[in-house]
Amino acid sequence: MLTLCGATFVASVDYSIVAVALPEIGRALGFASASDLQWVVTGCVLPTAALLPLFGRLSDLVGRRRLFVSGVLGFAVVSL
């Protein structure tokens, strides 16, 4: 239970960082309107949703706990 709460926390912090940084990202990329920033959010969320079935199948083959813990650690390192 604690591991799942930690993973949810890491994911929500990562998406919160993107949300806070959206105005600066928009200026750096030269986006004219706020609706263009939706592409930044989509670019962040889409890989998570697209890779979910792949890693679900991989967890069946490798082991759920091992893959989950390595994924959370990798996600935390990349987020830092």
Side-chain angles (χ1 to χ4, degrees):
M1 180 71 170
L2 185 61
T3 306
L4 185 58
C5 289
T8 304
F9 174 74
V10 169
S12 62
V13 166
D14 194 51
Y15 293 131
S16 295
I17 290 169
V18 171
V20 169
L22 277 176
E24 183 62 32
I25 293 170
R27 280 191 293 275
L29 294 176
F31 289 157
S33 68
S35 65
D36 292 337
L37 292 176
Q38 181 61 41
W39 288 105
V40 175
V41 176
T42 302
C44 223
V45 174
L46 189 61
T48 303
L51 293 174
L52 194 60
L54 172 67
F55 283 104
R57 177 63 180 141
L58 189 61
S59 73
D60 288 340
L61 299 173
V62 175
R64 288 179 181 90
R65 182 179 175 94
R66 183 182 304 156
L67 188 67
F68 181 76
V69 170
S70 64
V72 167
L73 290 175
F75 190 75
V77 168
V78 171
S79 294
L80 291 174

